[in-house]
Amino acid sequence: MEGDILWGVDPVRDRRLGRMALRRYFSAAGLAMLLFLLAALSTSLPLALLRWYWQGHNIQAGDSVIQLVNMASYVFSLLVPLLFFVFFHGPRRAGCSLFPLGRPKKGILLPALGVCLGVCSLSNYLSSWVSLLIQESLPNRIPVYRAAIPSEGAPMLLGLISAAILPAIFEELLFRGAILQGARPFGDTFAILISALAFTLCHTTVPQLIPALAAGLLFGFFAVFSDSLLVPIVIHCVYNLLASAVELAGTTGGAQLQRDVSLSISAIAFLLCLAGGLALARRLRGEILIRKYHGPLTLGDRLLATVTSIPFLAAAGMLCWTTWRPLLEGVPVK
C-alpha cells in the first residue's frame, strides 16, 4: 500500500506505477547530488567573505571562529540536498522511514565496526597504489583531500567535530538514510548499490574513490541488515576520527610519526576485522541477510531507469568531471 493505491491487483498497472516511482526516485537522487556538488563548491565562500570583512575592519578572528564557520558551511552543504530529497521524493510506503534511527539488532555494531575498519584500511592502501599508477601517466599532481585541523585546544576539538563527527552524521543521513532507504522499495541489493555509487561519486578526489566505494557498500549492508542508521553513523565517526588522528600526527610530529600511527592503526584494524568477521559469521548463521525483491519491476526495468534518468546522469557526469578535471587538464588528445 502506498497512499491510496492497492498493489497486486493489476500487474500491468503496478509495473507502470513502479516505473513512475523509480523515475521520481532517480530524479530526486540526481538533483540532490547536484545540489550537494554546488553546495560543496561554495563552502569556502562564507569564510572568504568573512575574512575580507575582517581584514577591512582590522578584526582578528581566532581559529575557533574559523572552525565554527567551516562547520556551519559543511552542515549547510549536506543539509540542503538532504531536505531537497525529502520534499521532492514525496510520500513513502506505510511503515517505511527514510531515517530509521532505532536500536540496531543485537550483536551487530562491534563486529561490523571491526570488519569495516579492516576493509577500509585495506582499501586505503589499494587506493594509494592505484593513485601512484595513475600519477605515472598524467602530468598533473593528483589532488588529495586534507582536513585542516588545528593541533591543540578548543580549535582542535571544533576541527575534529567539523572534520569527523558532523560528516559522519550528515553523510549517513543523506546516503544511507534518504538515498538508500528511498530505493529499498525497489530491492535492498539495488538500494545498497545505488547508495554506494552516489556516495563514491560525491567523493571528488581520486584517492577517495576506492575507500568510498568499499565504505559505501559495507555501510549500506549494515544499515539494511541492522535496520538502523546508528550502526553506519558510529562506524563512520570512528573511521573519520582515526583518519583525523593520522592527519594530526603528521601535523604535530612529522611524516615519520604519521607513518607510524597509520601503520599501527592499520594493524589493529586488520586484527579487529578478523575478530569481527568471525563473530559475524557465527552471529549471522542461518539469518536472511538481505530481503529479496518481489515487486513488479524486473532487473532490466530498474537498470534501464538508472541509465536513462537525466538528472542522475547529469549529476554523475558533473561529479566525475569535478573529480578528473584537475588531472586531465593539459593532457594532449591523441
Side-chain angles (χ1 to χ4, degrees):
M1 179 79 71
E2 182 162 350
D4 296 325
I5 299 174
L6 185 64
W7 298 94
V9 175
D10 186 344
V12 175
R13 184 208 61 175
D14 288 353
R15 191 174 180 186
R16 175 174 56 82
L17 293 176
R19 286 173 174 171
M20 291 173 57
L22 188 55
R23 284 197 295 268
R24 184 179 183 87
Y25 163 78
F26 273 117
S27 295
L31 292 172
M33 290 163 63
L34 283 172
L35 280 176
F36 171 85
L37 175 61
L38 293 174
L41 292 175
S42 66
T43 52
S44 61
L45 181 60
L47 185 56
L49 291 175
L50 283 174
R51 280 177 170 163
W52 172 77
Y53 177 83
W54 293 332
Q55 290 174 0
H57 293 77
N58 295 320
I59 299 174
Q60 295 296 324
D63 288 339
S64 295
V65 175
I66 293 174
Q67 291 300 323
L68 286 172
V69 174
N70 283 332
M71 191 184 303
S73 299
Y74 188 81
V75 169
F76 173 79
S77 71
L78 283 169
L79 197 57
V80 168
L82 179 62
L83 293 176
F84 174 84
F85 184 95
V86 170
F87 288 110
F88 187 92
H89 184 249
R92 296 278 294 152
R93 289 187 179 182
C96 296
S97 171
L98 288 178
F99 309 108
L101 292 169
R103 179 178 296 179
K105 291 181 180 179
K106 188 177 180 181
I108 295 296
L109 177 57
L110 291 180
L113 175 63
V115 169
C116 290
L117 291 180
V119 173
C120 289
S121 295
L122 180 62
S123 70
N124 277 319
Y125 286 108
L126 177 60
S127 177
S128 297
W129 177 70
V130 172
S131 296
L132 287 175
L133 293 179
I134 295 174
Q135 186 67 81
E136 291 177 357
S137 60
L138 294 174
N140 298 329
R141 186 175 180 83
I142 295 179
V144 178
Y145 173 76
R146 290 283 185 264
I149 304 175
S151 57
E152 59 183 14
M156 183 183 72
L157 179 60
L158 292 173
L160 288 174
I161 294 173
S162 178
I165 306 299
L166 290 179
I169 295 173
F170 283 95
E171 286 180 10
E172 292 309 312
L173 290 176
L174 177 59
F175 294 103
R176 256 64 63 183
I179 291 179
L180 186 147
Q181 304 298 329
R184 288 188 70 182
F186 310 104
D188 285 348
T189 302
F190 179 75
I192 292 171
L193 293 174
I194 292 300
S195 65
L197 175 62
F199 186 63
T200 304
L201 288 172
C202 288
H203 284 74
T204 53
T205 62
V206 173
Q208 289 181 297
L209 295 181
I210 294 177
L213 179 60
L217 292 171
L218 286 171
F219 293 173
F221 170 78
F222 287 117
V224 168
F225 180 73
S226 66
D227 289 324
S228 176
L229 292 182
L230 295 180
V231 171
I233 286 174
V234 170
I235 297 173
H236 202 156
C237 280
V238 173
Y239 177 79
N240 284 356
L241 285 171
L242 292 176
S244 298
V246 173
E247 292 295 328
L248 282 173
T251 302
T252 58
Q256 183 59 47
L257 179 61
Q258 185 177 46
R259 191 178 303 110
D260 293 342
V261 171
S262 178
L263 290 174
S264 300
I265 290 175
S266 297
I268 295 172
F270 292 143
L271 292 175
L272 291 175
C273 182
L274 179 60
L278 292 174
L280 281 177
R282 189 179 301 112
R283 166 68 175 80
L284 304 181
R285 188 178 301 168
E287 289 199 38
I288 299 175
L289 302 183
I290 297 177
R291 293 187 296 269
K292 292 184 178 180
Y293 174 68
H294 298 290
L297 299 180
T298 65
L299 177 61
D301 291 331
R302 288 174 284 166
L303 292 177
L304 183 63
T306 306
V307 300
T308 57
S309 171
I310 293 177
F312 192 79
L313 290 179
M318 288 294 294
L319 288 163
C320 287
W321 174 247
T322 303
T323 303
W324 292 97
R325 179 183 58 82
L327 277 70
L328 300 177
E329 286 180 340
V331 176
V333 179
K334 296 182 179 179

